[in-house]
Amino acid sequence: MKFENASRLVGTSLLAAVAWCVGVSLPGQAQAAQPGAAVKAPAKVRVIVAFKPGSGAGARAAIAGAGGRVLLDLDEADGVAIELPASAVAALRRSPHVEFVEDDPVRHAFRPPGSQVRRPALLPARSPEQVPYGIPMVQADLVSDALASDRMLCIIDSGIDRGHADLAGISVDGVNLTDSGRWFTDENSHGTHVAGIVAAVDNAIGVVGVLPHRRISLFIAKVFDAEGSAPSSLIARAMLHCMRARANVVSMSLGGATTSRIEARVADLLARRNMLVIAAAGNEGDDTVSYPAGFASVVSVAAVDASKTVASFSQFNSDVELAGPGVDVLSTVPVGSQIGASLKVGATNYPVGELEGSPFATATGPLADFGFGDAPAAGSMSGKICLISRGAISFAAKVLNCQDSGGVGAVVYNNAPGDVNGTLGTTVTTIPSVGALQTDGALMLGQLGQPATVAVFPTRDAYAYYSGTSMSTPYVSGVAALVWSYFPHCTASEIRASLDKSAQDLGTPGRDVYYGFGLVQAKAAHTRIGMLGCGH
């Protein structure tokens, strides 16, 4: 979903332009455009306006008087998102009916920068059901979800593939706040992956979720289309829908770097309504704060890997409260939503991942060393597969230089251990391009001249490995709903305190910026509340 400001040109005479700017008409002025200099209409901006208590009508009148157009109502939070001329913002701020006016920052579905989605080593639909490593890690296998029917968990994301075989039969409702599909379709795949972590069914195929027996109720608030971005006001609107649906837990695998007063106001409102709000800490791998995770009323979740070590991408700061499994997490995705890649050189098949933005295509030719790919050489790679070392310039430039040199496919191998998580950004190429391991690149340098085939293609996978605090967040949300189902008399704040106090301490003793209080633990929290009571 894109949110852009539009401008238009109005043809008029210079005198008429002056009259238009001050809001008067000239005697005998014709309505038709006159020859002369073109004048740009006032630039429009999208902002959030919060009303003073009891001043909604006056504030809306002020908005209309300023030339504003309401885009989204946030009635329960005494606010609206509007579009209006940028020149009118200052005057609107001075209205006696307006508490504040703020920008409407963008939120994104969180994935690690340049992340590479891994395909499962097997197709679970044809194989025995798998228990993802995160399930025993958070002790979800030690606490039955037999009582979960009295809990509702709201997922704010990109929708859900309700027809997925591993999500069929779950009690689920929702609302679509986008122009894309329905709430029960998922054009991004992110929301379906999150939902599977929470509730994938124990049905002898695929995987299992934290609450796998179709007892938990889900409410889906769809805010993302295929692009995975939405304004903060839409996230706030989604949270209010969760409140209307009477959800107990709200899970948000999303965020952005800019705070929002109205979003914080809504999060606080949900907390006062006895709802537990949980959000991803972010995937920038630094000490910056992402929102809504950074609000005091929201639990901020970091990511750890299978060895319980904090993920390199997980943001670390004093707001981090709990940690959950977030590296190479296997879960559900809509069939046909994933992209596969393959590479064969001579008789050897190499594991590769597509460079994000590569076209779907297959190419065959002799493997040729293209160095760092930092300069095109017309005809030097004609009909060949370019073997390129990472470094010096961008992935997009390397692939374009290969293409401009006559290459029909590109293989970029890493210059350090680990996968190549690369993207072509907005650069359009016509040849398939993939990333390979550093060790495999060294082996391929000994196979120059041998026939190579590289391919990038859509897959029929119903499951995929994703990494991110987006994945750790539903683990914590699912555990919260699971534990709370046994103690519905506890308040949201008491459940939050019990989860914090029962977490497995990791890293520096006590709460720290990387793990917060530690790895969420379902059985430990259940036992603690049973022995000591809510929140103790």
Side-chain angles (χ1 to χ4, degrees):
M1 185 184 302
K2 293 181 179 178
F3 300 87
E4 299 174 332
N5 296 322
S7 62
R8 58 187 176 90
L9 298 179
V10 180
T12 183
S13 68
L14 179 60
L15 184 58
V18 173
W20 177 78
C21 289
V22 298
V24 300
S25 59
L26 298 175
Q29 180 180 340
Q31 294 301 312
Q34 301 296 320
V39 177
K40 183 181 290 188
K44 298 288 185 69
V45 294
R46 181 181 176 121
V47 297
I48 297 171
V49 181
F51 313 150
K52 290 181 178 177
S55 298
R60 288 178 184 272
I63 290 168
R69 178 172 67 94
V70 174
L71 303 174
L72 191 68
D73 276 300
L74 301 168
D75 294 331
E76 299 94 329
D78 293 324
V80 290
I82 68 169
E83 183 183 67
L84 82 169
S87 58
V89 172
L92 186 60
R93 282 195 171 102
R94 293 193 294 269
S95 168
H97 306 290
V98 171
E99 182 177 345
F100 63 82
V101 179
E102 65 177 357
D103 291 337
D104 197 355
V106 176
R107 302 297 187 229
H108 304 280
F110 275 144
R111 284 180 179 146
S115 65
Q116 185 182 89
V117 174
R118 276 208 307 122
R119 299 180 66 196
L122 47 78
L123 295 178
R126 302 178 186 174
S127 307
E129 188 172 55
Q130 295 188 48
V131 177
Y133 77 87
I135 297 298
M137 183 180 285
V138 301
Q139 300 182 329
D141 58 332
L142 301 181
V143 180
S144 168
D145 64 347
L147 302 181
S149 58
D150 72 344
R151 297 293 94 180
M152 177 179 286
L153 193 152
C154 183
I155 297 174
I156 301 177
D157 212 292
S158 61
I160 184 175
D161 179 7
R162 188 173 60 178
H164 194 289
D166 232 352
L167 297 172
I170 295 172
S171 174
V172 59
D173 197 0
V175 61
N176 183 14
L177 301 177
T178 78
D179 296 323
S180 179
R182 308 285 292 274
W183 65 261
F184 48 81
T185 66
D186 184 2
E187 294 71 41
N188 183 281
S189 78
H190 192 267
T192 299
H193 199 274
V194 167
I197 293 170
V198 172
V201 178
D202 184 2
N203 56 0
I205 64 168
V207 296
V208 295
V210 173
L211 300 119
H213 295 108
R214 297 191 180 99
R215 296 188 179 98
I216 186 70
S217 294
L218 299 183
F219 186 84
I220 306 299
K222 182 173 180 173
V223 295
F224 297 131
D225 60 12
E227 293 186 8
S229 62
S232 170
S233 59
L234 199 69
I235 307 305
R237 177 72 264 163
M239 285 194 276
L240 293 171
H241 276 289
C242 296
M243 184 179 74
R244 288 181 177 181
R246 300 184 181 277
N248 306 105
V249 179
V250 177
S251 186
M252 295 185 285
S253 295
L254 55 88
T258 305
T259 189
S260 163
R261 293 171 67 182
I262 202 76
E263 199 176 325
R265 176 185 286 187
V266 172
D268 290 345
L269 173 61
L270 266 58
R272 292 196 300 273
R273 294 290 182 90
N274 199 33
M275 298 169 65
L276 183 55
V277 186
I278 301 170
N283 299 335
E284 295 301 321
D286 57 26
D287 62 356
T288 58
V289 177
S290 288
Y291 299 93
F295 300 136
S297 54
V298 178
V299 177
S300 176
V301 180
V304 298
D305 62 19
S307 69
K308 301 182 183 178
T309 301
V310 67
S312 60
F313 54 76
S314 188
Q315 283 169 234
F316 50 91
N317 50 62
S318 59
D319 286 299
V320 170
E321 187 166 343
L322 288 168
V327 178
D328 285 342
V329 174
L330 182 63
S331 187
T332 50
V333 291
V335 175
S337 65
Q338 305 306 294
I339 299 173
S342 64
L343 173 65
K344 185 175 183 179
V345 181
T348 305
N349 290 301
Y350 289 100
V352 292
E354 86 288 350
L355 297 185
E356 184 180 341
S358 169
F360 296 154
T362 300
T364 299
L367 187 67
D369 186 4
F370 196 47
F372 284 100
D374 51 0
S380 64
M381 293 287 120
S382 292
K384 299 177 180 178
I385 304 296
C386 303
L387 181 62
I388 311 171
S389 174
R390 183 176 183 175
I393 60 174
S394 70
F395 293 107
K398 292 175 184 291
V399 175
L400 273 181
N401 287 340
C402 170
Q403 180 177 300
D404 291 344
S405 301
V408 295
V411 180
V412 181
Y413 63 92
N414 215 341
N415 55 3
D419 293 333
V420 171
N421 297 323
T423 178
L424 304 182
T426 58
T427 301
V428 177
T429 62
T430 59
I431 63 174
S433 53
V434 300
L437 297 172
Q438 180 183 35
T439 51
D440 290 340
L443 292 174
M444 283 185 273
L445 285 171
Q447 295 179 287
L448 299 177
Q450 294 188 26
T453 299
V454 59
V456 177
F457 48 87
T459 78
R460 296 294 296 168
D461 294 334
Y463 303 84
Y465 293 94
Y466 284 9
S467 295
T469 53
S470 279
M471 285 58 256
S472 53
T473 298
Y475 268 111
V476 173
S477 302
V479 167
L482 176 61
V483 173
W484 204 353
S485 71
Y486 281 85
F487 308 99
H489 59 284
C490 294
T491 65
S493 61
E494 289 170 338
I495 291 294
R496 179 177 182 176
S498 293
L499 292 176
D500 291 347
K501 292 173 182 178
S502 61
Q504 182 183 0
D505 192 12
L506 300 172
T508 304
R511 185 174 185 175
D512 63 68
V513 298
Y514 293 98
Y515 303 93
F517 290 102
L519 179 65
V520 70
Q521 300 284 274
K523 179 62 174 176
H526 176 275
T527 300
R528 183 182 185 92
I529 297 173
M531 294 178 61
L532 302 177
C534 302
H536 297 297

